[in-house]
Amino acid sequence: MAEVTQSASVAAAALAAGQLVALPTETVYGLGASIDHAKAVERVFQVKNRPNEHPLIVHVEADADLSHWATRVPATATALVEAFWPGPLTLVIPKSDNVPGSVTGGQNTVALRSPDSPHFLEVLAELSRLTGAPAAIAAPSANLFGQVSPTTAEHVQDGLGSRLDPSDIILDGGPSEVGIESTIVLCRDQDVEVLRPGGITEEDLAQIATVTPSVHESVTSSDAQPRVSGSLESHYSPAAQVIVLEPEESIDDLAASQEVDLESLGIIALESETVKLGGATELARPNNSEAYAAQLYAALRKADDLGLRTVVAVTPPNVGIGVAIRDRLKRAAS
Ligand code: TXA
Ligand code: MG
């Protein structure tokens, strides 16, 4: 069991001492370790049950000197940092020797992000003061591998509490506002490639850099070496079976055709969708796509808490953050 606190300095001191700290971000909560503590980084993988070759995102201050962490900083990366940091955008660039290979799963690139969370940014600043060096916190989402990411400190406690040490910390910064993970982009000199859709939309990115359609989509096939673990086909999965519907598909038809037991069915759909199903549980009825993202993971957890067998999620329109929501729903469903 870890200590829950709201104090950034308590959290920073624990990281400096080589403990694990679950940290709030605007996307989801992360399970953090200072990259200077090899044992702590190793424990992140153990606590999550995460295979060692799945690289971790390294979180840095918004004004970090990227050339400390990278051998070469493509112009696209500099421009995206300027536009979107701190924020839900992770940049993959060639790593320098200041990033241990254990953090990057042995790859020669590093994924860097500066989260838009006052708590997290305070921890980074304090950690840097304590150590007298640039702060870097490796932090995957604070859930067991393959399960739904946490968007509150309570979710972290429920999922990982029993696997953490008494001197580990959970920093409670309230619910995550964006609700789904950051956008991950591979940065090249002339263009960028989206490896995982997320909080920063393709429309946002296109204002700043040339976005080339991803050639890495094949990493979702199970025999390929996964470069982006969030791109495994089955991920973000609750225990309940998730069925994804396009907006034009009718829940009523589905219920009729599959003989779904309404008593054990939960529904996630935009408020604008007409859903009339007596007996089913409304898990979330957000009024726009941003609210859908913010509520999605808590709704999937609620389904499991209630012991529901099936969740029907009607996708939002495939634009903006809707693209990332559909991506997560599809993975939760497989
Ligand atoms: O919003 C987020 O990104 C959250 C918060 C905590 O920052 N973090 C997160 O971490 O979602 P995680 O570990 O659940 O997902 C990180 C993804 C993984 O799919 C990993 O494979 C990918 O980032 N990744 C990390 N380093 C990479 C690299 N060098 N090249 C390609 N993908 C990388
Ligand atoms: Mg994750």
Side-chain angles (χ1 to χ4, degrees):
M1 271 303 156
E3 180 195 334
V4 181
T5 180
Q6 294 184 357
S7 162
S9 51
V10 168
L15 287 164
Q19 293 303 134
L20 301 191
V21 177
L23 293 150
T25 87
E26 78 281 35
T27 58
V28 301
Y29 273 65
L31 180 63
S34 161
I35 70 166
D36 295 332
H37 288 270
K39 283 255 162 57
V41 171
E42 200 183 312
R43 279 192 62 222
V44 168
F45 288 94
Q46 285 163 2
V47 167
K48 274 185 64 85
N49 243 340
R50 181 178 172 117
N52 284 335
E53 71 275 15
H54 285 283
L56 308 178
I57 294 177
V58 175
H59 299 71
V60 297
E61 292 185 84
D63 61 355
D65 174 9
L66 294 195
S67 64
H68 185 75
W69 311 110
T71 51
R72 222 173 42 76
V73 183
T76 51
T78 309
L80 289 171
V81 163
E82 180 69 25
F84 299 117
W85 276 16
L89 179 66
T90 297
L91 307 175
V92 176
I93 55 182
K95 90 170 190 68
S96 77
D97 290 342
N98 291 321
V99 182
S102 54
V103 168
T104 66
Q107 302 186 83
N108 58 9
T109 53
V110 60
L112 294 172
R113 144 164 148 85
S114 190
D116 189 12
S117 148
H119 290 82
F120 202 129
L121 293 172
E122 215 181 310
V123 172
L124 284 163
E126 180 66 20
L127 182 60
S128 158
R129 266 197 297 277
L130 287 173
T131 62
I137 300 173
S141 53
N143 53 276
L144 285 176
F145 186 64
Q147 294 188 355
V148 179
S149 299
T151 53
T152 66
E154 209 188 343
H155 294 165
V156 178
Q157 186 76 272
D158 290 349
L160 297 182
S162 65
R163 302 173 67 92
L164 293 171
D165 286 348
S167 37
D168 295 330
I169 300 284
I170 297 174
L171 181 60
D172 188 349
S176 299
E177 281 171 16
V178 175
I180 55 177
E181 298 79 358
S182 63
T183 305
I184 303 179
V185 297
L186 180 62
C187 295
R188 292 183 289 249
D189 288 323
Q190 310 296 336
D191 66 343
V192 303
E193 187 184 317
V194 178
L195 299 180
R196 178 177 74 180
I200 296 290
T201 66
E202 198 160 319
E203 294 90 328
D204 295 333
L205 293 170
Q207 306 267 337
I208 307 296
T210 304
V211 183
T212 300
S214 182
V215 297
H216 287 100
E217 249 147 34
S218 61
V219 297
T220 57
S221 83
S222 49
D223 57 347
Q225 170 84 1
R227 294 193 61 221
V228 181
S229 79
S231 70
L232 288 178
E233 255 172 44
S234 174
H235 217 84
Y236 315 104
S237 288
Q241 186 203 356
V242 178
I243 297 174
V244 185
L245 290 188
E246 295 299 323
E248 64 274 13
E249 293 178 290
S250 151
I251 294 186
D252 304 310
D253 293 348
L254 177 96
S257 65
Q258 303 211 354
E259 291 175 23
V260 176
D261 171 15
L262 295 183
E263 298 295 319
S264 70
L265 176 72
I267 291 168
I268 303 173
L270 283 172
E271 214 172 56
S272 53
E273 300 289 339
T274 37
V275 173
K276 43 172 174 46
L277 271 191
T281 305
E282 274 194 4
L283 294 168
R285 291 286 267 160
N287 58 15
N288 58 42
S289 295
E290 283 71 27
Y292 196 125
Q295 295 171 33
L296 175 62
Y297 289 158
L300 293 176
R301 282 167 185 273
K302 189 172 164 195
D304 285 350
D305 290 345
L306 295 172
L308 301 180
R309 276 204 296 276
T310 313
V311 173
V312 169
V314 183
T315 62
N318 198 20
V319 291
I321 200 164
V323 175
I325 294 171
R326 295 162 78 94
D327 170 76
R328 302 307 190 276
L329 284 174
K330 295 240 161 82
R331 297 184 202 294
S334 63

